[in-house]
Amino acid sequence: MYFRRQAQVLGVLGTLFGGGYAQVGAAITLDVTSADSIKAAAGLAAYNMMKVYTGNQTGGTPGLLPQPYFWWEAGSMFGQLIHYWFLTGDSSYNDVVSEAIQFQVGANNDFMPQNQTKDLGNDDQVFWAFTAMDAAELAFPNPPSSDPSWLSLAQAVFNDQVLRWETGACNGGLRWQIYPFNAGYDYKNTISNGGLFQLAARLARYTGNQTYADWAEKTYDWIAGTPILAANYQVWDGTSRTGNCSGAVETYWTYNVGTLISGCAYMYNFTNGNATWGTRLSGLVNNGTSVFFVQTAGLNNPPEQAPPGGMIMSEVACEFPTPQTCDPDEPSFKAYLSRWLAVTTQLAPWTAPFIMPRLTASAQAAAAQCTGQATNMCGRRWYQTVWDGYFGVGEQMSAMSVFQNLLIEKVAGPVTAEKGGTSVGNPSAGGAGDNQQPSSGQVALGRVVGTGDKAGAGILTALSLILIIGATWWMIV
């Protein structure tokens, strides 16, 4: 079960992006042994993706995608374009990316722009922080000194979110939503908590600050202590504080296991190969991803379900049903799993023999799907050898990501402040009082403050519980 923000998104998606099978062209030519071929495939997918973006046009708003796409997906798109630049060397989109990120930082430089509060969740905010960390870790060109640095933007989001850690129910965890007027305020989802875990782990590795590592450990331990993370490392979508997090919403999404894999890989690397983090990483990579890799279904259209136990990545929860049930967000999820698996091979090289053949097979299958609209638009069901009739930002982003990440072995790993990093941080950034979540049982929390990335302390005053405004939760099973 996955909670949707708007009831009408499926109808909008079907109208805009679900069209039949007309205008089918030739597939993208992809030679996985040729860097030039990989770059060309990624470039075509990037071009088709950016045809949707209007924020760099007259009258457009930098950083926003048109409806039906949500704000967070735009942020993740710019992160993927940073990876695109780093992996391919093509800087065509760099100025657009920098402009978009800085335009969406908000008044407190923490990715909380005022015009997004009606939908803003912790997961939305953290995806923009991921993009800022991508920029810092990949040494993306720094913004002017008058603008907040990439690192400081990520630190600001971290400082915001640790102040929202809520102990009134479930002994901790982040709510999905920041504000009580949004549906899902009682939901503690994996991507919000896993997002904080990943962000803390990346900040720990980049800065060397133990406080970030402590928060990464704390967040992972909380996740592992709930039904979200099964004993076999399968990862569910979330849990509810209404039942004191006693049960899980048993739906699989690629980005949920992906964010935990990424966080564990960064912590494994930060701790110089700590065995505990290695065990967690191994379990998530080998077992947690197994449901998402399937065999080819060939020309079967529509397939019942692709056979399990294969090498081709699939968003099984919404691609398997006929008709498909993916909303505008979900076709992008494979982009993040592809990226996070790829960087894992750099941070923990022993994972590469398992990961790279799956990324390679997925890229080859995706290329065969990119025959839509006679312009090589990519579809969703990579396990089919014919285009499935869907295209959009998420579909192109996922294809671009799996293509370009075949180049991961040809580039250096993420930099740190001590080794190659140029983004200057501000460890006291963010933490603005107007976005703290009030709840009973709130505790005093440490906040990363001071100079030289030394940890200090900040105190969050106990606040009273706000009753949740009733709202309908849209879901699929």
Side-chain angles (χ1 to χ4, degrees):
M1 184 169 55
Y2 176 84
F3 295 100
R4 298 193 184 277
R5 301 172 190 253
Q6 294 182 5
Q8 70 270 29
V9 291
L10 285 176
V12 172
L13 184 67
T15 300
L16 294 180
F17 302 111
Y21 292 81
Q23 300 182 19
V24 175
I28 288 180
T29 300
L30 176 64
D31 178 356
V32 297
T33 67
S34 167
D36 288 340
S37 178
I38 295 168
K39 291 176 183 179
L44 183 53
Y47 175 76
N48 281 336
M49 177 181 72
M50 289 300 285
K51 286 196 293 188
V52 180
Y53 180 62
T54 58
N56 58 339
Q57 299 177 11
T58 301
T61 301
L64 297 186
L65 284 165
Q67 292 184 345
Y69 300 105
F70 288 106
W71 177 73
W72 79 271
E73 189 170 351
S76 65
M77 181 183 77
F78 298 117
Q80 292 296 325
L81 287 171
I82 292 172
H83 304 152
Y84 172 77
W85 158 78
F86 181 72
L87 292 163
T88 70
D90 182 359
S91 60
S92 301
Y93 303 108
N94 284 14
D95 290 345
V96 172
V97 169
S98 294
E99 176 193 43
I101 296 171
Q102 293 294 337
F103 203 86
Q104 294 298 322
V105 299
N108 294 312
N109 295 332
D110 59 356
F111 294 121
M112 292 195 66
Q114 188 173 9
N115 63 354
Q116 295 300 322
T117 55
K118 65 182 177 65
D119 291 313
L120 194 61
N122 283 302
D123 52 352
D124 303 313
Q125 187 188 27
V126 85
F127 264 90
W128 282 87
F130 289 163
T131 291
M133 278 305 301
D134 292 336
E137 291 174 340
L138 303 182
F140 189 68
N142 287 316
S145 58
S146 57
D147 292 331
S149 70
W150 308 131
L151 179 59
S152 70
L153 288 168
Q155 290 171 313
V157 172
F158 171 85
N159 287 336
D160 282 359
Q161 295 203 348
V162 297
L163 290 175
R164 301 186 193 123
W165 189 261
E166 189 251 352
T167 58
C170 309
N171 197 34
L174 282 180
R175 298 174 187 257
W176 173 24
Q177 298 293 347
I178 296 173
Y179 299 108
F181 52 76
N182 278 325
Y185 186 63
D186 261 357
Y187 194 48
K188 294 192 174 182
N189 61 341
T190 304
I191 195 60
S192 293
N193 288 280
L196 176 59
F197 165 57
Q198 182 192 150
L199 179 61
R202 293 171 72 173
L203 285 168
R205 182 181 179 275
Y206 190 95
T207 67
N209 189 322
Q210 184 61 37
T211 298
Y212 295 124
D214 292 344
W215 266 100
E217 185 88 47
K218 177 176 181 174
T219 309
Y220 183 90
D221 287 348
W222 182 84
I223 293 169
T226 72
I228 288 174
L229 181 59
N232 64 353
Y233 290 98
Q234 297 290 319
V235 182
W236 301 118
D237 186 65
T239 186
S240 176
R241 69 189 301 278
T242 302
N244 201 34
C245 299
S246 58
V249 174
E250 295 185 352
T251 300
Y252 296 117
W253 299 103
T254 53
Y255 74 163
N256 284 331
V257 70
T259 195
L260 297 186
I261 287 172
S262 177
C264 286
Y266 275 92
M267 288 302 293
Y268 175 82
N269 189 273
F270 173 71
T271 58
N272 297 312
N274 174 272
T276 298
W277 286 113
T279 299
R280 292 165 174 171
L281 179 58
S282 177
L284 287 163
V285 169
N286 289 282
N287 298 334
T289 64
S290 60
V291 69
F292 300 112
F293 286 95
V294 300
Q295 300 177 45
T296 181
L299 294 171
N300 187 15
N301 180 31
E304 292 298 321
Q305 288 187 353
M311 306 285 278
I312 300 171
M313 192 183 301
S314 173
E315 199 66 65
V316 296
C318 69
E319 290 176 5
F320 275 13
T322 301
Q324 295 182 50
T325 57
C326 303
D327 73 7
D329 293 345
E330 293 152 7
S332 73
F333 290 178
K334 291 184 292 189
Y336 320 129
L337 180 58
S338 296
R339 168 59 191 170
W340 294 332
L341 286 175
V343 75
T344 293
T345 67
Q346 296 181 311
L347 299 169
W350 50 268
T351 62
F354 182 89
I355 290 173
M356 291 311 299
R358 285 162 175 77
L359 292 184
T360 300
S362 296
Q364 291 172 315
Q369 257 278 319
C370 297
T371 63
Q373 298 294 297
T375 58
N376 293 113
M377 285 289 184
C378 301
R380 299 172 185 166
R381 287 174 170 164
W382 296 349
Y383 53 83
Q384 287 182 196
T385 54
V386 292
W387 179 50
D388 60 8
Y390 289 87
F391 63 95
V393 170
E395 289 86 349
Q396 313 320 308
M397 193 192 312
S398 289
M400 178 185 75
S401 180
V402 78
F403 296 155
Q404 66 197 26
N405 279 301
L406 297 185
L407 300 169
I408 198 71
E409 295 170 322
K410 300 181 181 298
V411 298
V415 302
T416 66
E418 290 188 353
K419 295 182 179 179
T422 61
S423 188
V424 178
N426 177 10
S428 62
D434 63 356
N435 62 52
Q436 297 172 16
Q437 280 181 340
S439 72
S440 61
Q442 198 76 39
V443 296
L445 301 174
R447 178 181 169 208
V448 181
V449 296
T451 59
D453 274 336
K454 299 296 183 181
I459 303 299
L460 178 63
T461 304
L463 299 172
S464 59
L465 178 66
I466 293 180
L467 295 177
I468 301 167
I469 297 175
T472 301
W473 284 12
W474 294 92
M475 62 189 82
I476 60 172
V477 177

